Amino acid sequence: MPNPPATALCVFVLALASVSAWPAPPPIAAFARRGDMEGVAISPDGRFISWLSAQGDRRVVLVHDRSVKNSVKALLSSGDKDFDVTWCSWANKDRLLCGLSANVREADLVYTITRLVAINADGSKMKVLMQNSSAGGSQFQDKILDWTAADPDTVLIAAQGSEFMLSDPTMEVAGTNVHEFPSVFELNVYNGKLRLRLHDHGPIRSFVTDAHGNVRIGSGVSGLDYLYFAKLDGDSSWRQLVKFEAFSRADHSLIPIAVGRQPNTMYAMGSSDGRDALWEIDLTDQVAPQLVFSHSQVDVDGPLFERDGRMIGVFYELDRPFIHYTDPHAQLVMDAVNKSLPGTFNTMEDSTPDEKMYVIRAMSDVDEGTYYVLDTTAGRMERLGSTYPELVPQSLAHMRSVAFAARDGTRIPGYLTVPPGAKAEHLPLIVMPHGGPIARDSWRFDFLLQFLVSRGYAVLQMNFRGSGGFGDDWYWAAHQDWGGLTYDDITDGARWAVKEGIADPQRMCIVGWSFGGYAALLGAVRNSDLYRCSVSIAGVSDLAELEFDARKFVGGEIARKQIGTDSAKLKADSPRRHAETVNIPLLMIHGDRDANVEVDQSQMMAKALGRANKPYEFILIKGATHFMWRASERETLLTAVEKFLATNLGPGVASP
C-alpha cells in the first residue's frame, strides 16, 4: 500500500498531565517492581495492542481491543518461579505469539531454555507450539526469523530438528538424536505443525531473511573463528563470505547483517578509520563496498529492522543514543515524532504492514519507556501508558555527561548523577562501573542508579578503556587486562571525584553488577584506602574459574581469549586469591540460577573471606537469574543495599 503523505505527520495531538515538583522518594517496591508496560506490539490490522505487565513476580500478557473503549484483557501469565514471558508479537490479525524462557540447572551447569506459546486475541485456543514436535528437543524454540506476511498462518523459525524430521519433512512425531545446529522450519501458528524449509548447515547457528521469507544470511562459530555465509538471490547453496579469528585486531572484514536494497546486495558492519561503520556490499563483487554511515567519534552499533525484515536504520551513541535511518520513510515519520516528543529518545517499536500505524517508545534517563500509538492517516498520537507510572520523571535525577583524565592523560567519558536539587559538592558517592566489560554506560533509565540517587547518594559511572562503542584503540588498550588498565580507569574516576570536591572522601562506596561486581570486589581487595565499602552483585571473583566455566558453552574458546590465559595474571587479578587484603565491609548478592556468572563465584569469595576472618555479608537469592528480573528478587537486593549503605556510608543527602 502507498505510504501516507508527509503532511499527515505534522499534527500529532498529545495530552500532557501536570505533575507537582519533588514528591517524597518512592518506596523500594516502586524501583523493584516489574514494569507496567513493556514489549508493546500492534496487530497487522491495527485493532489490537498487546503488552507485558506485572502482577508481583508474574509477567502478564494484556491485550487492548482498540475498537472497544477501555477494553483490556489478560491473556496469559507466567509462573512465579518457572518460565517467564519475555516477548509477544502478532503472527496475524488475531493470533499472538509469545516467547517464554527459564534458566534450568543440570548438576553444576545452569543454562537457558525457551518455549513458544500461541493464543488468539480473545484468549481462546492457547497452544504451546513445538513442544511435542520433531523439534521439541531444541533448547531454543522461540527464534522467529520471519513473520511470512504472505501466509498469515505460518512463521519461519530456527530450531534444532531431529533425525526423523530432517529425513522426512512430513513426520510430525518426536524423533531422537537432535542435531547440534538449527534448521529453518515453517511453523503453523494454530496447530504447531512444522515443515522443513532449510536443512542445518554447520557451523551456522543464526539466520537472517530478506523481506520475502527467504533465508539469505547465516553465521556461526567454530573454535576461535567467526564465520558468515550468504545466498545469492534465488540461489539454494551457501557461499562463505567471511571467516576471521575472534579478537584479531588485524582483521578488517565486512560482516553482513541485513539484505540490501538492491538484488544481491547486503548491509555489513566493518571498520572505517578504526571505528565500526555501516557499509553496503555487492555479493557478486562487481561493485566495491560503499560506506553508508560512519561517525568520527564512536562505533556504529546494531541494526534496526521492520517486521518484514527490512533494515531501516542503525544505532550509535555519543553521550546520548541516536539512530541513523537508512529508510527515507522511517526518517520522515521519526522527524515528525521527534518534533512532537522533544527531550526523549524515540524509537519505532512496531508497525502495521502498511506503515500507517506505529508503536512509538519515548525513553530517557528518567523514563524507562512511555508508549504511544501513532496513526499517520489521522495525524494523531495516542498515549498508551508508561513502564513505571509511580516513578514520576520530574522527581528523578538526570544524568550529566562528564569526563576525567586518567593517570596517563587519556580522557575517560562517563556520567555523574546527583540527587535532585543537590549541588555536586562533598556528596556521599557511589562509584558504579558497568558490566561487560565490552559494554558501555548509556544515557538511559536504570532502576539501580535511580534508586541509589533517590536515597541521597551521587553516582559516578565511567566508560573505562575496554568498553564497547568507542573504537578499536579504546577496546584494544585494555584487552585481556580486566584487573589492569580497565580497573585503573575506574580508580582514577573515583580519585577525580574526590579531587574535584564532588565526593566526600570519607563516604565513598564501589557498587557493581556482573563485571562491575568484579570491579567492586577488586576495589575491596586493592583500595580499602579509597572506598569505605563494596557491593558486588552477581560478580566474578576468580578469572581462572570463569575461563574454565566458559568451556561448557558454544563459543567458550572465544570467551577464554577475551579473558586471557596467562595463569599468573589471572591469579593476580582475581579478588578471591587476595581475600586477606580486604579491610572494608563487603556485601555480595547472587542468584543460584545465574547462567552468566555462576553462583560459585560469590560462594568461593565468601569462603575465602571467612577463612581470612574478613567482614562480609553474602545473600543468596534462590531461583534468581543473572539479572534478577522478578520483583521479590529486586526488593531483596535493594533492601539489602539500602541497609548496607546506611550502615557504612551513613544517610544520603535530602532533596528539597
Side-chain angles (χ1 to χ4, degrees):
M1 299 185 68
N3 290 330
T7 54
L9 303 176
C10 302
V11 287
F12 303 152
V13 178
L14 296 176
L16 302 179
S18 61
V19 181
S20 58
W22 314 124
I28 285 177
F31 294 97
R33 63 162 292 176
R34 310 198 75 165
D36 249 14
M37 179 170 280
E38 299 174 308
V40 182
I42 189 169
S43 62
D45 62 357
R47 176 179 173 181
F48 297 109
I49 302 289
S50 65
W51 66 91
L52 306 182
S53 191
Q55 289 182 357
D57 278 356
R58 295 175 179 266
R59 264 250 178 95
V60 181
V61 179
L62 300 179
V63 168
H64 167 47
D65 185 345
R66 299 181 67 245
S67 67
V68 181
K69 189 174 182 180
N70 299 323
S71 167
V72 177
K73 182 182 181 69
L75 294 193
L76 58 92
S77 171
S78 63
D80 287 324
K81 293 296 180 183
D82 298 318
F83 280 94
D84 196 32
V85 184
T86 54
W87 63 266
C88 292
S89 194
W90 294 90
N92 55 47
K93 65 184 184 65
D94 300 306
R95 193 72 164 162
L96 186 68
L97 298 189
C98 296
L100 285 74
S101 71
N103 277 14
V104 297
R105 177 180 289 279
E106 287 187 6
D108 64 343
L109 180 65
V110 178
Y111 60 94
T112 302
I113 60 174
T114 65
R115 297 293 180 260
L116 187 64
V117 173
I119 190 169
N120 286 347
D122 61 5
S124 65
K125 298 183 178 179
M126 184 178 75
K127 183 177 179 60
V128 179
L129 303 173
M130 298 180 62
Q131 185 69 16
N132 298 313
S133 73
S134 298
S138 182
Q139 179 181 353
F140 302 109
Q141 300 184 9
D142 67 337
K143 292 186 176 181
I144 306 296
L145 303 177
D146 197 294
W147 295 89
T148 59
D151 183 359
D153 288 355
T154 67
V155 295
L156 291 189
I157 191 164
Q160 293 158 284
S162 70
E163 293 287 355
F164 288 156
M165 169 58 71
L166 298 183
S167 61
D168 184 354
T170 65
M171 295 292 289
E172 296 171 12
V173 296
T176 57
N177 300 324
V178 173
H179 280 210
E180 175 185 357
F181 300 102
S183 299
V184 177
F185 298 94
E186 185 180 277
L187 170 67
N188 186 289
V189 300
Y190 290 96
N191 58 32
K193 291 183 178 179
L194 293 172
R195 185 171 72 88
L196 182 65
R197 286 280 298 269
L198 185 66
H199 202 289
D200 63 317
H201 184 85
I204 295 177
R205 294 183 182 275
S206 298
F207 303 93
V208 177
T209 65
D210 58 17
H212 307 289
N214 303 305
V215 179
R216 298 289 304 280
I217 300 174
S219 61
V221 175
S222 177
L224 286 172
D225 293 329
Y226 287 110
L227 297 98
Y228 290 84
F229 302 82
K231 291 186 177 184
L232 292 175
D233 194 18
D235 200 350
S236 60
S237 59
W238 290 110
R239 57 181 295 186
Q240 182 176 306
L241 291 183
V242 180
K243 178 181 178 181
F244 65 93
E245 185 176 316
F247 303 114
S248 174
R249 187 169 189 180
D251 186 81
H252 297 286
S253 300
L254 294 175
I255 300 170
I257 59 172
V259 177
R261 293 168 291 185
Q262 302 299 323
N264 292 323
T265 64
M266 290 190 176
Y267 288 110
M269 298 297 297
S271 180
S272 175
D273 296 327
R275 292 176 175 83
D276 289 344
L278 179 67
W279 297 78
E280 191 167 38
I281 58 176
D282 177 14
L283 297 182
T284 64
D285 297 325
Q286 296 182 22
V287 180
Q290 303 294 308
L291 181 64
V292 177
F293 178 73
S294 64
H295 198 280
S296 61
Q297 296 174 262
V298 295
D299 293 324
V300 174
D301 206 345
L304 181 69
F305 293 100
E306 270 285 14
R307 271 181 61 93
D308 61 7
R310 289 181 299 120
M311 193 187 78
I312 61 173
V314 286
F315 291 95
Y316 66 100
E317 291 190 74
L318 299 171
D319 62 330
R320 294 193 179 193
F322 295 88
I323 295 176
H324 168 77
Y325 287 97
T326 56
D327 181 80
H329 178 64
Q331 180 71 71
L332 174 69
V333 172
M334 292 311 298
D335 282 347
V337 169
N338 292 335
K339 288 179 181 178
S340 188
L341 296 173
T344 53
F345 175 57
N346 308 309
T347 59
M348 294 176 173
E349 296 295 293
D350 200 7
S351 69
T352 55
D354 60 10
E355 298 184 346
K356 290 184 177 181
M357 301 186 71
Y358 295 86
V359 173
I360 301 296
R361 179 187 180 191
M363 57 179 291
S364 73
D365 54 345
V366 294
D367 185 358
E368 173 70 9
T370 297
Y371 293 89
Y372 303 84
V373 172
L374 167 62
D375 186 333
T376 60
T377 302
R380 289 184 60 88
M381 193 149 61
E382 169 194 357
R383 186 182 187 276
L384 293 172
S386 60
T387 305
Y388 295 112
E390 303 97 329
L391 298 178
V392 181
Q394 289 84 347
S395 69
L396 299 178
H398 288 288
M399 302 169 68
R400 309 177 190 176
S401 297
V402 296
F404 58 87
R407 62 194 67 183
D408 64 0
T410 301
R411 299 289 290 177
I412 309 297
Y415 299 93
L416 176 68
T417 311
V418 303
K423 294 183 178 180
E425 298 175 359
H426 207 63
L427 297 172
L429 179 72
I430 306 299
V431 175
M432 195 165 79
H434 62 70
I438 310 176
R440 61 159 290 169
D441 278 315
S442 302
W443 183 82
R444 62 179 180 85
F445 176 87
D446 180 280
F447 85 97
L448 180 58
L449 165 67
Q450 289 296 340
F451 171 75
L452 293 171
V453 177
S454 77
R455 269 46 188 173
Y457 304 106
V459 176
L460 175 65
Q461 301 165 283
M462 64 285 291
N463 284 312
F464 42 77
R465 278 168 285 186
S467 300
F470 295 89
D472 294 346
D473 290 343
W474 196 261
Y475 168 72
W476 284 104
H479 181 53
Q480 298 183 348
D481 198 18
W482 287 17
L485 184 60
T486 292
Y487 180 73
D488 288 346
D489 285 351
I490 296 168
T491 306
D492 291 346
R495 297 194 187 283
W496 166 83
V498 171
K499 181 180 178 182
E500 292 296 310
I502 297 167
D504 179 346
Q506 301 304 313
R507 302 180 67 194
M508 189 155 57
C509 187
I510 182 168
V511 177
W513 201 314
S514 194
F515 172 83
Y518 163 77
L521 292 177
L522 211 56
V525 165
R526 295 181 180 176
N527 288 105
S528 296
D529 62 323
L530 184 61
Y531 303 115
R532 294 296 167 262
C533 58
S534 171
V535 179
S536 171
I537 306 167
V540 175
S541 69
D542 193 303
L543 296 180
E545 181 71 15
L546 183 67
E547 183 262 342
F548 175 79
D549 291 340
R551 305 180 196 184
K552 303 174 184 178
F553 299 95
V554 173
E557 290 297 314
I558 294 174
R560 291 184 66 211
K561 188 171 181 180
Q562 177 193 353
I563 299 164
T565 55
D566 183 329
S567 59
K569 180 167 177 54
L570 293 179
K571 182 177 180 179
D573 290 346
S574 293
R576 179 174 80 92
R577 309 287 182 145
H578 310 283
E580 71 281 356
T581 65
V582 173
N583 290 310
I584 58 175
L586 174 59
L587 171 64
M588 294 179 291
I589 304 171
H590 217 128
D592 69 351
R593 290 199 183 183
D594 190 332
N596 299 67
V597 177
E598 293 191 11
V599 67
D600 63 357
Q601 290 280 350
S602 290
Q603 292 170 330
M604 291 186 300
M605 187 70 189
K607 290 179 181 178
L609 290 165
R611 288 193 296 267
N613 197 28
K614 295 298 181 177
Y616 80 93
E617 180 181 0
F618 174 46
I619 297 175
L620 176 67
I621 304 180
K622 292 186 177 181
T625 69
H626 187 67
F627 303 99
M628 304 181 194
W629 294 112
R630 303 180 192 277
S632 62
E633 297 163 359
R634 290 192 170 183
E635 193 154 348
T636 297
L637 165 69
L638 297 182
T639 299
V641 170
E642 182 177 49
K643 179 181 177 182
F644 182 79
L645 293 179
T647 299
N648 294 289
L649 288 189
V653 299
S655 294

